Amino acid sequence: MAPRAGQPEHRGPLLPGLLLVAAALSRPAAPCPFQCYCFGGPKLMLRCASGAELRQPPRDVPPDARNLTIVGANLTVLRAAAFAGGDADGEEAAEGGVRLPHLTALRLTHNNIEVVEDGAFDGLPSLTALDLSHNPLRTLGGGAFRGLPALRSLQLNHALARGGPALLAALDAALAPLDELRLLGLAGNALSRLPPAALRRPRLEQLDVHLNALAGLDPDELRALERDGGLPAPRLLLADNPLRCGCAARPLLAWLRNATERVPDARRLRCAAPRALHNRPFLDLDEARLRCADGDADGRGDEVELAGPELEASYVFFGLVLALIGLIFLMVLYLNRRGIQRWMRNLREACRDQMEGYHYRYEQDADPRRAPAPAAPAGSRATSPGSGL
């Protein structure tokens, strides 16, 4: 059909150009890795949960992946550069290799991980959240987190209890390069002290150490929780720890009362020792009650002298109860005074009658006229000459 007069003639058909643009925009994404599930496309989130069959991180994760979750596998050992091309046989990726440059969240819970080698997370420069909770860690390399300059959240809940003191020392070294760390989860690890390196993280906003074996915090740990230079001090989750409410707990009690908002679960803190204060709310105690037993200067003994205003108040209350009981007894006696008088009179008459009876029998027994005659000798009646028999 010829174009009408006055209308510009099209230089070329539009349909081929639109098809080319659509083809470019609809380019197929990288396939989802074997044994994994992809949600919203591979570049959004991957979840790999294949049980004992998965013994190393999948090597065919799309490079534009943002979130990777591996749960319930049997990884056991995370070798160096495990997510940058290294494999379970010890082969390391090429130096400077970055296979997942956009990965921001990595969750590796319940994977039976026992060993994390130095540089295990090399090649993940954008990672901001790492979760290794619920793994029986026994060995942690001092440089395990060295390749994570942007890490802001690290969760190690229920993961350090089996490693002993050596693992806690390695944790101090592993946390040292994480200057951007904001959240650190160490719940359920049987910790008896706070890791010093965790307290020194300059931008730490929250430290979760609930459900551990902390008997208290010493003054050095409390000072390390403060920040200079206008930086906000971190929040501390401290519930479900066996606090020993001795004299060593006084600094912690004073600190909590001045910074309650920094311990959201402060109202859940309970005393585990001594027995006299067992399960008492820690914040409700008076410092006068936190005393050390003799020869126990650090306040960590099982017996603490129970003293203070609360004990004195209990004595006063006990005295008031006894006074009230005595008052009630006197009131009962007063209301029954006539009956009591009658009972006393009857008792006196009964006693007098009884005594008169005893006195009469005594007089009867003492009368010589009522004494029995002596018995005659045997055979005297037969030999008597005056006998008429």
Side-chain angles (χ1 to χ4, degrees), residues 35-65:
Q35 298 177 338
C36 297
Y37 302 92
C38 298
F39 301 91
K43 69 178 182 179
L44 293 181
M45 184 172 71
L46 291 86
R47 179 181 177 90
C48 305
S50 57
E53 298 179 3
L54 189 63
R55 297 181 180 275
Q56 60 178 323
R59 299 175 59 86
D60 51 351
V61 177
D64 54 354

Side-chain angles (χ1 to χ4, degrees), residues 209-233:
V209 290
H210 81 276
L211 200 63
N212 276 285
L214 297 172
L217 301 181
D218 59 40
D220 293 337
E221 292 172 326
L222 295 176
R223 282 192 294 269
L225 287 170
E226 303 301 328
R227 293 292 182 267
D228 298 328
L231 293 175

Side-chain angles (χ1 to χ4, degrees), residues 215-338:
L217 301 181
D218 59 40
D220 293 337
E221 292 172 326
L222 295 176
R223 282 192 294 269
L225 287 170
E226 303 301 328
R227 293 292 182 267
D228 298 328
L231 293 175
R235 295 186 302 273
L236 184 65
L237 299 180
L238 198 58
D240 302 317
N241 278 287
L243 298 181
R244 294 185 179 272
C245 299
C247 59
R250 290 178 182 174
L252 175 59
L253 181 59
W255 181 81
L256 283 174
R257 288 176 175 169
N258 293 327
T260 307
E261 69 283 353
R262 291 176 51 189
V263 185
D265 54 2
R267 291 293 174 186
R268 295 171 52 196
L269 301 182
R270 296 289 186 273
C271 294
R275 288 188 295 270
L277 300 176
H278 179 70
N279 209 33
R280 294 284 187 89
F282 185 65
L283 282 181
D284 293 344
L285 295 179
D286 186 79
E287 291 189 16
R289 302 201 66 185
L290 304 179
R291 296 189 175 183
C292 296
D294 294 338
D296 185 24
D298 61 355
R300 296 182 180 271
D302 291 333
E303 297 296 333
V304 177
E305 181 183 358
L306 186 61
E310 294 185 10
L311 183 59
E312 295 176 1
S314 65
Y315 285 148
V316 172
F317 178 76
F318 183 68
L320 292 175
V321 171
L322 290 181
L324 181 60
I325 293 175
L327 182 61
I328 293 175
F329 180 73
L330 293 176
M331 184 176 296
V332 170
L333 292 180
Y334 176 76
L335 294 177
N336 293 275
R337 62 188 182 280
R338 295 173 184 257

